[in-house]
């Protein structure tokens, strides 16, 4: 993905999904740094508050985070 930090700054997790704990949602940049996450993802990485900028790549073991990297526009999945 091209330098898209300006794109990431426009993204965010909607309020109705923020407190879900049965579903893990995170916005992670191409370097593996956490931008936003809901309660379910924070529970998985054992953080009570959003550690913005945390490198979460080590939490993805199999498959590795970088195995998810897209060959196109950087979006792997979009929707509900």
């Amino acid at each position: 993905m091209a330098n898209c930090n300006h794109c990431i700054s426009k993204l965010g997790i909607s309020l109705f999904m923020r407190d879900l704990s049965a579903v893990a949602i995170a916005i992670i940049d191409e370097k593996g740094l956490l931008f936003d996450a809901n309660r379910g993802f924070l529970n998985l990485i054992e953080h009570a508050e959003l550690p913005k900028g945390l490198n979460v790549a080590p939490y993805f073991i199999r498959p590795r985070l970088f195995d998810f990297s897209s060959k196109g526009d950087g979006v792997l999945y979009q929707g509900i």
Side-chain angles (χ1 to χ4, degrees):
M1 174 169 31
N3 183 0
C4 201
N5 288 333
H6 67 280
C7 300
I8 291 174
S9 67
K10 295 179 182 178
L11 298 174
I13 297 172
S14 59
L15 292 177
F16 81 95
M17 297 171 80
R18 186 155 301 282
D19 287 332
L20 292 177
S21 59
V23 176
I25 303 168
I27 299 175
I28 304 166
D29 75 6
E30 66 274 3
K31 296 175 187 163
L33 302 180
L34 184 64
F35 176 75
D36 199 1
N38 76 337
R39 181 64 38 216
F41 190 84
L42 295 177
N43 287 343
L44 287 175
I45 65 171
E46 298 180 339
H47 280 269
E49 299 295 324
L50 179 67
K52 199 169 187 177
L54 176 71
N55 181 4
V56 294
Y59 292 96
F60 291 82
I61 298 169
R62 213 173 260 171
R64 298 170 309 157
L65 176 66
F66 300 109
D67 292 335
F68 287 109
S69 63
S70 173
K71 304 296 183 226
D73 63 1
V75 176
L76 297 174
Y77 179 81
Q78 188 172 4
I80 294 177

